[in-house]
Amino acid sequence: MSTAVRTETGSPVDRILANYASDNPGTRAKLYRILTSGRLAGTGKVVILPVDQGFEHGPARSFAVNPAGYDPEYHVKLALDAGCNAYAAPYGSIQQVAHAYAGKIPLILKVNNHDTLVSENDPIPAQTSSVMDALRLGCVGIGFTIYPGSSVWREMYEQLRELAEEAREAGLAVIVWSYPRGTSLSKEGETAVDVAAYAAQIAAQIGAHVIKVKLPSENIEQDAARKVYEKEGVPIATLAERVRHVVQSAFDGKRMVIFSGGGKKGEEGVFDEVRAIRDGGGFGSIIGRNSFQRPHDEAVKFLHKIMDIYAGKAE
Amino acid sequence: MSTAVRTETGSPVDRILANYASDNPGTRAKLYRILTSGRLAGTGKVVILPVDQGFEHGPARSFAVNPAGYDPEYHVKLALDAGCNAYAAPYGSIQQVAHAYAGKIPLILKVNNHDTLVSENDPIPAQTSSVMDALRLGCVGIGFTIYPGSSVWREMYEQLRELAEEAREAGLAVIVWSYPRGTSLSKEGETAVDVAAYAAQIAAQIGAHVIKVKLPSENIEQDAARKVYEKEGVPIATLAERVRHVVQSAFDGKRMVIFSGGGKKGEEGVFDEVRAIRDGGGFGSIIGRNSFQRPHDEAVKFLHKIMDIYAGKAE
Amino acid sequence: MSTAVRTETGSPVDRILANYASDNPGTRAKLYRILTSGRLAGTGKVVILPVDQGFEHGPARSFAVNPAGYDPEYHVKLALDAGCNAYAAPYGSIQQVAHAYAGKIPLILKVNNHDTLVSENDPIPAQTSSVMDALRLGCVGIGFTIYPGSSVWREMYEQLRELAEEAREAGLAVIVWSYPRGTSLSKEGETAVDVAAYAAQIAAQIGAHVIKVKLPSENIEQDAARKVYEKEGVPIATLAERVRHVVQSAFDGKRMVIFSGGGKKGEEGVFDEVRAIRDGGGFGSIIGRNSFQRPHDEAVKFLHKIMDIYAGKAE
Amino acid sequence: MSTAVRTETGSPVDRILANYASDNPGTRAKLYRILTSGRLAGTGKVVILPVDQGFEHGPARSFAVNPAGYDPEYHVKLALDAGCNAYAAPYGSIQQVAHAYAGKIPLILKVNNHDTLVSENDPIPAQTSSVMDALRLGCVGIGFTIYPGSSVWREMYEQLRELAEEAREAGLAVIVWSYPRGTSLSKEGETAVDVAAYAAQIAAQIGAHVIKVKLPSENIEQDAARKVYEKEGVPIATLAERVRHVVQSAFDGKRMVIFSGGGKKGEEGVFDEVRAIRDGGGFGSIIGRNSFQRPHDEAVKFLHKIMDIYAGKAE
Amino acid sequence: MSTAVRTETGSPVDRILANYASDNPGTRAKLYRILTSGRLAGTGKVVILPVDQGFEHGPARSFAVNPAGYDPEYHVKLALDAGCNAYAAPYGSIQQVAHAYAGKIPLILKVNNHDTLVSENDPIPAQTSSVMDALRLGCVGIGFTIYPGSSVWREMYEQLRELAEEAREAGLAVIVWSYPRGTSLSKEGETAVDVAAYAAQIAAQIGAHVIKVKLPSENIEQDAARKVYEKEGVPIATLAERVRHVVQSAFDGKRMVIFSGGGKKGEEGVFDEVRAIRDGGGFGSIIGRNSFQRPHDEAVKFLHKIMDIYAGKAE
């Protein structure tokens, strides 16, 4: 499925890659790989399957509803069957399948993780694998979570900086999960539109090639920001407008921003979100629990519908 | 006893090793060594003798009942005499015997330890030896303890990650003692089935080849998990079912999970536990105090009975 | 615009470079580049455009007023169009444009940053890029912020020391933003003249080639200093006198001290400040929000006027 | 005095060295050097002169009573004159004399120290010299103090681990001062027999070749230990029995355990302690203040008597 | 002024260097350079000009009284004009002048500093330059401040240890400012004679070649020390006696101890102190503010008088 894809000059993929012109050929090749794999190959849109919930939430909470998911192979196969652009997971899950799947589908090694045995108000994940692991396992990039707003933000940003530099030198792509969280934010503030936009900007500045944020709500968290949104009349009323603002906040769309689906929900709810992402100029979705917690064939169908919305083949 | 063993294609050992296909030949050879040593050679089951209690609990508490055990050689010889698959101990104990026993029986260097002179509610062991030590002493792997649930979990996981990567590069196996403990867990929660399953998942994700957990109780610690266990009807009523769930939580059985015996207890109690591990699809036992705190010949007989249960030679 | 400029012996540039005689030719060449680029080339004065507000204050607060600024290319082009001596920004912004602009205008990589999602009374920025990044991206130097007066001063100074040494070895220039801040200072003390002078001295001692401070107020923060200012009659009544004192405090003017404009304000207010910097012997300005928050052509005109004041072409 | 000594096969020295068979020839040669130097050469017993009190207690408290001791050369010469097996001291003291004494008497570099200007309830020494220093200065080994029971135990053990590994690789011996101390222990507990035995075990496990502990009292500190001592009837009534138990706790006597004399006391008190060490199977003494705080000739005579007790030449 | 000086065998310089026989030729050459430079060349006495007050106290407090001192060149020239043995300053000040003065006068790079914008009860300086900087700038040695008695003593000592080892390997001299300070000491205790002697001992043990302490007062800070001073009748009544005791505490005079002058005071007060240092066997003075806060010619005359007292040319 990820055989070489030839893209026309001036194609969506070329236009996107033009924004990564300072990167080395190795990294650009990996971004090209992601953009030309799966059912959305060549469209400039991406749908990624991430499965780190076994680590982040625990195995039963993640997989008991669909026990086939206890086996890491289930997920990479699902991603392949559904034609996702890439599959992302922590070390163990990737290592379990890399010998058989590296090359068939772009693999993203999620190099830091947090479990929920310890609850922290100002969270910081642990590094659980390395850039060298990603290279050995044939991955196209690393994934890293930061929690802007956490009191230990500095340690996270510096860890990301180091790993991102190492990854770029090795010709890998850097995908950043930028999830605001911590005692300096209200619960609503974690998805407030000003905070989501800020989170996208921070990830872009530290060097993310692809940025994953949560879909922004209409809330505005910071007073200093609210004044500006109101004074300048920044349009944030609809989800599509908010998506557009977040994308704008990542170098005016010169960095790929994709959005996460959050907890499992009804199909139509997800499709509506996808339409808003599409309309707001978002680059795609990263969909975990909504995929793998459904039965395999249902999940494939569900993901195909999402891809069709992005590709303009379905409304 | 650990001379080369030829295993048939499709044998239990081959089936297990197939799950470690992303590992390098060095590491796979060490796992093969463990699986083809001792009385259980070739069965796909393992019984390991671990002796770190001198460090962890103090010498008199560990050895006064059977003073021959003050001498580290006693233990490695016991493991050899009983036909264990491997012997695990801290640096000093391994170093004391390696010149004479490396090669005769697989040695596992336990590279971190905690003493009980200081009592900590959120414990973290100290690194007490290194991967290079393991190589110099002819060991097949390193052992490392993590305490998921401890507030200093991040430091432990990152230390494990570094050592595990170094060990894998050096062609060693990584055995992780995953013992939930810390102020975020209740006392009962340390062995709750949801927590034990989570502990196995975490160790698997950080890259353990072999995972050692405690036998899980029927308790469920986390509310978010309880809802899922109840809703999905995850079978956890019997010890065998709980073992099966923990094994499932380690990549659906694609990682070897073995279980520890805990404090010294009656023989039949141990044998019942072993039967449950066997019935639940566990890969074996790691038995310390129940072995070395008995007289030598009694311990050998006791371990042989356990091995026979695993091998199907005894009920 | 930054083609080779030939400066006469005894020119202002030569006189300045003579004060950097212990530096290696690589670093001296970079300082020469800055001093011979743009409309002020050869005058010994510099105006630098810094844009790190997207990171430091958030994207909407920085760019909503002039949305073209969401795109990093807008800023480097503005700097080029206006004839600034250099453009300074964080990693992402520089990386976005370096392939097209490195060589056309001196680029300064701002290697540490702080966001405002977390508010800290004793702040310390996170390192967000490296000297190696600066080299790869064709920059002439690195920018680094310290907050003298913060309780974590030591960690910042030592991080600066390391990066500055590495930068000098690599033939780069080191530009230090020295912004007093922290619980040991009053709010007014952050710009008090004694503190500003002290901040310039500290940056000079740790090895800054160019020092950026805020314009000093008439306040004196420290009692021990006040006695000396009064006893010795140090002239600090006018802004020009205070500028002179701060410049004097940086090795009697042997290190280039430039001054920041602060928040957006009326044009004449800025021009008055520039006149005071000029009269006090300051080496120039670093002007962010007052530039890029105006429309492009207005900003160019505004910057030209500032440059003309420095160059003696306008009052 | 430390010219080559030929020891017979089966001699005490050979029997001891057989327990260090996993060590490299370099380290074994250093242990051989210690065991074959001085008046006790070849007996398997050792008396070491340690002088770190200038650092640990201050110069006047240590040397005012015998001011010749302000000069480090006094001590190494005293050790040589008295026929000690080795001389141990911090960097400065060793460095002051190494050019003249390295080779004449085994030198042990004490690589960590604590002063008494700061009093800490949970102490941890500072590293004050390195393995490379020990090599440059011609030392046979390094000395390192740990305080089991201190809340910062982990940092100490890990520092020891690193230095011990580096020392062993360099063919040096590792001598560990294992002194229980910290808020988790009562004052009496610091020398309680269970704690002393535990301290010896810990040092042995982390890789000490020679272990120095304080003479154990009859106290038992830990309840869990007390139960075992009482149940198993571990003999600890006499000092000789307690020495035997501590030696047993260091791998059943396969690691050399030596005992410290503590504060200056009457000669007969010291001799009685030495007899108990001898009778309990201890390997010797490390005697500081009781030596160098006496006049030179008196100290030599005093040390000779101790050596004669160990050698069986005096009762 | 620092051209090669030929010293006679048995000269004061030779006698001093004999105490550094374990050091490598590179370091010994640097000590030789210091001892054979300036007006006191060959006498075995040294007067060093240190100027770190711009960093430590702020520029105006240090230089407003004699504004020529804002320029670092003023100081090195003053040291040269007055015939000092060496000039010591932080990185920036040395870097400003090294290209012109390295070789003409021994330069000492002060590699750590503290400012007074933050006031800390348990202080620790920041490292502000490196051994490699010292080599690049042609310095003969590094200067490092420790604050014995500070609760963060361990971090300081270990930082000194590392830098000192690196400096010695590079053939540089190590000069330690040993200034007791911190919450474990009373204000008077900072200069108490027992504490000053202890501070000298600590610096000597960690490897200082030259030790700078403050002149000791008659106070005794520590009770355990007081008993010994009283019992042994250590003579500490006069300043000369106290100097002698401090010198004795640095390996019985085998390490060079020099004394600082403290705040600016009357000339005769300084001369009296110098006489006491001379009479007590001290090796010289390090005189900052008392030099550079006077007009140039007055300072030269003042320093000459001090040198003459040391040289026996003046009473």
Side-chain angles (χ1 to χ4, degrees):
Chain A
M1 183 157 284
S2 65
T3 52
V5 173
R6 182 161 165 193
T7 56
E8 303 299 312
T9 304
S11 71
V13 171
D14 278 4
R15 285 198 302 271
I16 290 170
L17 284 181
N19 294 326
Y20 297 87
S22 295
D23 275 295
N24 68 24
T27 294
R28 286 159 54 84
K30 302 307 183 301
L31 294 171
Y32 187 89
R33 281 281 316 282
I34 294 171
L35 288 164
T36 58
S37 292
R39 288 182 90 238
L40 287 170
T43 62
K45 300 292 179 183
V46 297
V47 170
I48 296 176
L49 179 71
V51 189
D52 57 2
Q53 286 80 1
F55 201 131
E56 302 277 330
H57 300 161
R61 282 177 63 194
S62 305
F63 308 128
V65 63
N66 181 16
Y70 283 110
D71 183 349
E73 190 168 4
Y74 174 81
H75 303 286
V76 70
K77 202 165 164 309
L78 171 60
L80 195 56
D81 292 347
C84 290
N85 296 68
Y87 168 68
Y91 178 77
S93 291
I94 294 287
Q95 200 250 10
Q96 178 58 38
V97 304
H99 64 284
Y101 289 87
K104 295 186 187 165
I105 182 169
L107 300 174
I108 295 166
L109 185 63
K110 187 74 191 342
V111 297
N112 70 346
N113 290 96
H114 197 300
D115 65 48
T116 45
L117 290 173
V118 176
S119 164
E120 294 169 324
N121 292 327
D122 283 298
I124 176 169
Q127 187 186 341
T128 52
S129 55
S130 72
V131 169
M132 196 53 65
D133 287 326
L135 291 171
R136 259 194 300 265
L137 295 174
C139 299
V140 297
I142 61 166
F144 190 95
T145 295
I146 55 174
Y147 298 124
S150 171
S151 63
V152 284
W153 64 279
R154 184 174 180 255
E155 196 169 352
M156 270 181 285
Y157 291 12
E158 298 199 336
Q159 200 172 29
L160 168 56
R161 186 205 73 71
E162 267 191 54
L163 289 168
E165 182 174 359
E166 191 185 349
R168 290 190 309 257
E169 287 179 359
L172 296 178
V174 177
I175 294 90
V176 174
W177 278 236
S178 194
Y179 284 1
R181 199 169 297 173
T183 49
S184 63
L185 297 174
S186 69
K187 191 66 197 164
E188 297 72 34
E190 294 180 359
T191 52
V193 65
D194 59 326
V195 171
Y198 205 158
Q201 163 78 202
I202 288 167
Q205 290 290 15
I206 306 181
H209 298 106
V210 182
I211 298 158
K212 178 193 173 191
V213 294
K214 293 192 177 167
L215 279 168
S217 72
E218 231 176 317
N219 291 314
I220 294 181
E221 172 78 357
Q222 298 199 294
D223 290 338
R226 180 176 298 109
K227 283 182 211 158
V228 173
Y229 281 90
E230 289 172 357
K231 185 174 169 217
E232 306 297 340
V234 181
I236 53 170
T238 68
L239 183 55
E241 285 173 337
R242 296 193 292 273
V243 164
R244 187 169 305 281
H245 177 62
V246 171
V247 170
Q248 185 185 44
S249 295
F251 298 169
D252 210 17
K254 290 185 172 175
R255 287 289 168 268
M256 284 183 268
V257 181
I258 59 180
F259 295 84
S260 62
K264 194 179 169 188
K265 64 189 71 161
E267 291 201 348
E268 272 312 308
V270 175
F271 298 152
D272 281 347
E273 290 177 357
V274 168
R275 289 176 192 113
I277 297 168
R278 178 199 60 192
D279 294 344
F283 289 77
S285 293
I286 187 156
I287 297 187
R289 280 170 286 172
N290 272 296
S291 305
F292 68 75
Q293 291 188 343
R294 298 173 201 270
H296 176 271
D297 294 352
E298 192 184 313
V300 169
K301 200 175 140 198
F302 170 79
L303 287 163
H304 281 185
K305 175 69 183 282
I306 289 170
M307 293 168 190
D308 287 346
I309 295 174
Y310 277 125
K313 297 180 184 168
E315 187 36 44
Chain B
M1 184 159 284
S2 65
T3 51
V5 172
R6 182 161 166 191
T7 55
E8 303 300 313
T9 305
S11 71
V13 171
D14 278 3
R15 285 198 302 271
I16 290 171
L17 284 181
N19 294 325
Y20 298 86
S22 296
D23 275 295
N24 68 23
T27 294
R28 286 160 52 86
K30 302 305 182 305
L31 294 171
Y32 188 88
R33 281 281 316 281
I34 294 172
L35 287 164
T36 58
S37 292
R39 287 183 89 238
L40 286 170
T43 63
K45 300 291 179 182
V46 297
V47 169
I48 296 176
L49 180 71
V51 188
D52 57 3
Q53 287 80 0
F55 202 130
E56 302 277 330
H57 301 160
R61 283 177 61 194
S62 304
F63 308 127
V65 63
N66 181 16
Y70 283 110
D71 182 350
E73 190 168 4
Y74 174 81
H75 303 288
V76 69
K77 202 166 165 307
L78 171 60
L80 195 57
D81 292 345
C84 289
N85 295 68
Y87 167 69
Y91 178 77
S93 291
I94 294 286
Q95 200 249 11
Q96 178 58 39
V97 305
H99 64 284
Y101 289 87
K104 294 186 187 164
I105 182 170
L107 300 174
I108 295 166
L109 184 63
K110 186 74 190 343
V111 297
N112 70 347
N113 290 97
H114 198 301
D115 65 47
T116 45
L117 290 173
V118 176
S119 164
E120 294 169 324
N121 292 327
D122 282 298
I124 177 170
Q127 188 186 339
T128 52
S129 54
S130 70
V131 169
M132 196 53 66
D133 287 327
L135 291 172
R136 260 194 299 264
L137 295 174
C139 299
V140 297
I142 61 166
F144 190 95
T145 295
I146 54 173
Y147 298 124
S150 172
S151 63
V152 284
W153 65 278
R154 184 174 179 255
E155 196 169 352
M156 270 181 285
Y157 290 13
E158 297 199 338
Q159 200 172 30
L160 168 56
R161 186 205 73 69
E162 268 191 53
L163 290 167
E165 182 175 358
E166 191 185 348
R168 291 191 308 257
E169 286 179 359
L172 296 178
V174 177
I175 295 90
V176 174
W177 276 236
S178 194
Y179 284 1
R181 199 168 298 172
T183 49
S184 62
L185 297 174
S186 69
K187 192 66 198 165
E188 296 73 32
E190 295 180 358
T191 51
V193 65
D194 60 326
V195 171
Y198 205 158
Q201 163 79 202
I202 289 167
Q205 290 289 17
I206 306 182
H209 298 106
V210 182
I211 298 159
K212 178 193 173 192
V213 294
K214 294 192 177 168
L215 279 167
S217 73
E218 228 176 320
N219 291 314
I220 294 181
E221 172 78 358
Q222 299 199 293
D223 289 338
R226 180 176 299 108
K227 282 182 211 159
V228 173
Y229 281 90
E230 288 172 358
K231 185 173 170 217
E232 307 296 340
V234 180
I236 53 169
T238 69
L239 183 55
E241 284 173 336
R242 295 192 294 272
V243 164
R244 187 169 305 279
H245 177 61
V246 171
V247 170
Q248 184 185 45
S249 295
F251 298 169
D252 210 17
K254 289 185 172 175
R255 287 289 168 269
M256 283 184 268
V257 181
I258 59 180
F259 295 83
S260 61
K264 194 179 170 188
K265 62 188 72 161
E267 292 201 348
E268 272 312 309
V270 175
F271 298 152
D272 281 348
E273 290 177 355
V274 168
R275 287 176 193 116
I277 297 168
R278 177 200 60 192
D279 295 344
F283 289 78
S285 293
I286 188 155
I287 297 186
R289 280 169 286 172
N290 272 296
S291 304
F292 68 75
Q293 291 187 344
R294 298 172 200 270
H296 177 271
D297 293 352
E298 191 184 313
V300 169
K301 199 174 140 198
F302 170 79
L303 287 164
H304 280 185
K305 174 68 183 283
I306 288 170
M307 294 168 190
D308 287 347
I309 295 174
Y310 277 124
K313 297 180 183 169
E315 187 36 43
Chain C
M1 184 158 283
S2 64
T3 51
V5 173
R6 182 160 165 193
T7 55
E8 302 300 313
T9 306
S11 70
V13 171
D14 278 3
R15 285 198 301 272
I16 291 171
L17 283 181
N19 294 325
Y20 297 86
S22 297
D23 275 295
N24 68 24
T27 294
R28 287 159 54 85
K30 302 306 183 304
L31 294 170
Y32 187 88
R33 282 280 316 280
I34 294 171
L35 287 164
T36 59
S37 292
R39 289 182 90 236
L40 286 171
T43 62
K45 301 292 179 183
V46 296
V47 170
I48 296 175
L49 179 71
V51 188
D52 57 3
Q53 286 81 359
F55 201 131
E56 302 277 329
H57 301 160
R61 283 178 62 193
S62 304
F63 308 127
V65 64
N66 181 15
Y70 283 109
D71 183 350
E73 189 167 4
Y74 174 81
H75 303 287
V76 70
K77 204 168 163 306
L78 171 61
L80 195 57
D81 291 346
C84 290
N85 295 68
Y87 167 68
Y91 178 77
S93 291
I94 294 286
Q95 200 250 11
Q96 178 58 38
V97 305
H99 64 285
Y101 289 87
K104 294 186 186 164
I105 181 169
L107 300 174
I108 295 166
L109 184 63
K110 186 74 192 342
V111 297
N112 69 347
N113 291 97
H114 197 301
D115 65 49
T116 45
L117 289 174
V118 176
S119 164
E120 295 169 324
N121 292 326
D122 282 298
I124 176 169
Q127 188 186 340
T128 52
S129 55
S130 72
V131 170
M132 196 51 66
D133 287 327
L135 291 171
R136 260 194 300 264
L137 295 174
C139 299
V140 297
I142 61 166
F144 191 97
T145 295
I146 55 173
Y147 298 125
S150 171
S151 64
V152 284
W153 64 278
R154 184 174 180 256
E155 196 169 351
M156 270 181 285
Y157 290 12
E158 297 199 338
Q159 200 173 30
L160 168 56
R161 184 205 75 69
E162 268 191 53
L163 289 168
E165 181 175 359
E166 191 185 348
R168 291 190 310 256
E169 286 179 359
L172 296 178
V174 177
I175 295 90
V176 174
W177 278 238
S178 194
Y179 284 2
R181 199 168 298 173
T183 49
S184 62
L185 297 175
S186 69
K187 192 66 197 165
E188 297 72 35
E190 294 180 359
T191 52
V193 65
D194 59 326
V195 171
Y198 205 158
Q201 164 77 202
I202 289 167
Q205 290 290 15
I206 305 181
H209 298 106
V210 182
I211 298 159
K212 178 193 172 191
V213 294
K214 293 192 176 168
L215 279 166
S217 74
E218 230 175 318
N219 291 313
I220 294 181
E221 171 78 358
Q222 298 199 293
D223 290 337
R226 180 176 297 108
K227 283 183 210 156
V228 172
Y229 280 90
E230 289 172 357
K231 185 175 171 216
E232 306 297 339
V234 181
I236 54 170
T238 68
L239 183 55
E241 284 173 336
R242 294 193 293 273
V243 164
R244 187 169 305 281
H245 177 62
V246 171
V247 171
Q248 184 185 45
S249 295
F251 299 169
D252 210 17
K254 291 185 172 176
R255 287 290 167 268
M256 283 184 268
V257 181
I258 60 180
F259 295 84
S260 61
K264 195 180 168 187
K265 64 187 71 160
E267 292 201 347
E268 271 313 309
V270 175
F271 298 152
D272 281 347
E273 289 177 356
V274 169
R275 289 177 191 113
I277 297 168
R278 178 199 61 194
D279 295 344
F283 289 77
S285 293
I286 188 156
I287 297 187
R289 280 169 288 172
N290 272 297
S291 304
F292 67 75
Q293 291 188 342
R294 299 173 201 271
H296 177 272
D297 293 352
E298 192 183 312
V300 169
K301 201 175 138 196
F302 170 77
L303 287 163
H304 281 187
K305 175 68 184 283
I306 288 170
M307 293 169 190
D308 287 347
I309 295 174
Y310 278 125
K313 297 181 184 168
E315 187 35 46
Chain D
M1 185 159 286
S2 65
T3 50
V5 172
R6 181 160 167 193
T7 54
E8 303 300 312
T9 304
S11 71
V13 171
D14 278 2
R15 285 197 303 271
I16 291 171
L17 284 182
N19 294 325
Y20 298 86
S22 296
D23 275 295
N24 67 25
T27 294
R28 286 161 51 87
K30 302 306 183 303
L31 294 171
Y32 187 88
R33 281 280 317 280
I34 294 172
L35 287 164
T36 57
S37 292
R39 288 183 88 238
L40 286 171
T43 62
K45 300 292 179 182
V46 296
V47 170
I48 295 176
L49 181 70
V51 188
D52 57 2
Q53 287 79 0
F55 201 131
E56 302 277 330
H57 301 160
R61 282 177 62 195
S62 304
F63 308 128
V65 63
N66 182 16
Y70 284 109
D71 183 351
E73 189 168 5
Y74 173 81
H75 303 288
V76 69
K77 201 166 165 307
L78 172 59
L80 195 56
D81 292 346
C84 290
N85 295 68
Y87 167 69
Y91 178 77
S93 291
I94 294 285
Q95 199 249 11
Q96 178 57 40
V97 304
H99 64 285
Y101 290 87
K104 295 186 186 164
I105 181 170
L107 301 174
I108 295 166
L109 184 63
K110 185 77 190 340
V111 297
N112 71 346
N113 290 98
H114 198 299
D115 65 48
T116 45
L117 290 173
V118 175
S119 164
E120 294 168 323
N121 292 327
D122 282 297
I124 176 170
Q127 187 187 341
T128 52
S129 54
S130 71
V131 169
M132 196 52 67
D133 287 326
L135 291 172
R136 261 194 299 266
L137 294 174
C139 299
V140 297
I142 61 166
F144 191 95
T145 295
I146 55 174
Y147 298 124
S150 172
S151 63
V152 284
W153 65 278
R154 185 174 179 256
E155 197 169 350
M156 271 181 285
Y157 291 13
E158 297 198 338
Q159 200 171 30
L160 168 56
R161 186 204 74 70
E162 268 190 53
L163 289 168
E165 181 174 358
E166 191 185 348
R168 291 191 308 257
E169 286 179 359
L172 296 179
V174 177
I175 294 90
V176 174
W177 277 237
S178 195
Y179 284 1
R181 199 168 298 171
T183 49
S184 61
L185 298 174
S186 69
K187 192 67 199 163
E188 296 73 33
E190 294 179 359
T191 51
V193 64
D194 59 327
V195 172
Y198 205 158
Q201 163 79 202
I202 289 167
Q205 290 289 17
I206 306 182
H209 298 106
V210 182
I211 298 159
K212 177 192 172 192
V213 293
K214 293 193 178 169
L215 279 166
S217 73
E218 229 175 319
N219 290 313
I220 294 181
E221 172 77 359
Q222 299 199 293
D223 290 337
R226 181 176 299 106
K227 284 183 209 157
V228 172
Y229 281 91
E230 288 172 358
K231 184 173 172 218
E232 306 297 340
V234 182
I236 53 170
T238 69
L239 183 54
E241 284 172 335
R242 294 192 294 272
V243 164
R244 187 169 305 279
H245 177 63
V246 171
V247 170
Q248 184 185 43
S249 295
F251 297 170
D252 210 17
K254 290 186 172 175
R255 286 290 168 268
M256 283 183 267
V257 182
I258 60 180
F259 296 84
S260 62
K264 194 179 170 188
K265 63 188 73 162
E267 291 202 347
E268 272 311 311
V270 175
F271 298 153
D272 281 348
E273 289 177 355
V274 169
R275 288 174 192 114
I277 297 167
R278 177 200 60 194
D279 295 344
F283 289 78
S285 293
I286 188 155
I287 297 185
R289 280 169 287 172
N290 272 297
S291 304
F292 67 74
Q293 291 188 344
R294 299 172 200 270
H296 176 272
D297 294 352
E298 191 183 314
V300 169
K301 199 175 140 198
F302 169 79
L303 286 164
H304 280 185
K305 175 67 184 284
I306 288 170
M307 293 168 189
D308 287 347
I309 295 174
Y310 277 125
K313 297 182 183 167
E315 186 37 42
Chain E
M1 184 157 284
S2 64
T3 51
V5 173
R6 181 161 166 191
T7 55
E8 302 300 312
T9 304
S11 71
V13 171
D14 279 2
R15 285 198 301 271
I16 290 171
L17 283 182
N19 294 325
Y20 298 86
S22 297
D23 274 296
N24 68 23
T27 293
R28 287 161 50 88
K30 301 307 182 302
L31 294 171
Y32 187 89
R33 281 281 315 281
I34 294 171
L35 287 164
T36 58
S37 291
R39 288 183 89 237
L40 286 171
T43 62
K45 301 291 179 183
V46 296
V47 170
I48 295 175
L49 179 70
V51 188
D52 57 2
Q53 287 80 1
F55 201 131
E56 303 277 329
H57 300 160
R61 282 178 61 194
S62 304
F63 308 128
V65 64
N66 182 16
Y70 283 109
D71 182 350
E73 189 168 5
Y74 174 81
H75 303 287
V76 70
K77 204 168 162 306
L78 172 60
L80 195 57
D81 292 346
C84 290
N85 296 67
Y87 168 68
Y91 178 77
S93 291
I94 293 286
Q95 200 249 10
Q96 179 58 40
V97 305
H99 64 283
Y101 290 87
K104 294 187 187 165
I105 181 168
L107 301 174
I108 295 165
L109 184 62
K110 186 77 191 340
V111 297
N112 69 348
N113 290 98
H114 198 301
D115 66 47
T116 45
L117 290 174
V118 176
S119 164
E120 294 169 323
N121 292 328
D122 282 297
I124 175 169
Q127 187 186 341
T128 52
S129 55
S130 71
V131 170
M132 197 52 66
D133 286 327
L135 291 171
R136 260 195 300 264
L137 295 174
C139 299
V140 298
I142 61 167
F144 191 96
T145 295
I146 54 173
Y147 298 124
S150 171
S151 64
V152 284
W153 63 278
R154 184 173 179 257
E155 196 168 352
M156 270 182 286
Y157 291 12
E158 297 198 338
Q159 199 171 32
L160 168 56
R161 185 205 74 69
E162 268 190 54
L163 289 168
E165 181 175 358
E166 190 185 349
R168 292 190 309 256
E169 286 179 359
L172 296 178
V174 177
I175 295 90
V176 174
W177 278 237
S178 194
Y179 284 1
R181 198 168 298 172
T183 49
S184 62
L185 297 174
S186 69
K187 192 66 198 165
E188 297 72 34
E190 294 180 358
T191 52
V193 65
D194 59 327
V195 171
Y198 205 158
Q201 162 79 204
I202 289 168
Q205 290 289 16
I206 306 182
H209 298 107
V210 181
I211 298 158
K212 178 192 171 192
V213 293
K214 293 192 176 168
L215 279 167
S217 72
E218 229 175 319
N219 291 314
I220 293 180
E221 172 76 359
Q222 298 199 292
D223 290 337
R226 180 176 298 107
K227 283 183 210 157
V228 172
Y229 280 91
E230 288 172 357
K231 184 173 171 216
E232 306 297 340
V234 181
I236 53 169
T238 69
L239 183 54
E241 284 172 336
R242 295 193 293 272
V243 164
R244 187 169 305 280
H245 177 62
V246 171
V247 170
Q248 183 185 44
S249 296
F251 298 169
D252 210 17
K254 290 186 173 176
R255 287 290 168 268
M256 283 184 267
V257 182
I258 61 180
F259 295 84
S260 62
K264 196 180 167 186
K265 62 188 73 161
E267 291 201 348
E268 271 312 310
V270 176
F271 298 152
D272 282 347
E273 289 177 356
V274 168
R275 289 176 191 113
I277 297 168
R278 178 200 60 194
D279 295 344
F283 289 78
S285 293
I286 188 156
I287 297 186
R289 280 169 287 173
N290 273 296
S291 304
F292 68 74
Q293 291 188 342
R294 300 174 199 271
H296 176 272
D297 293 351
E298 191 183 313
V300 170
K301 200 175 139 196
F302 170 78
L303 286 163
H304 281 186
K305 176 67 183 282
I306 288 170
M307 294 168 189
D308 287 346
I309 295 173
Y310 277 125
K313 297 180 184 168
E315 186 36 44

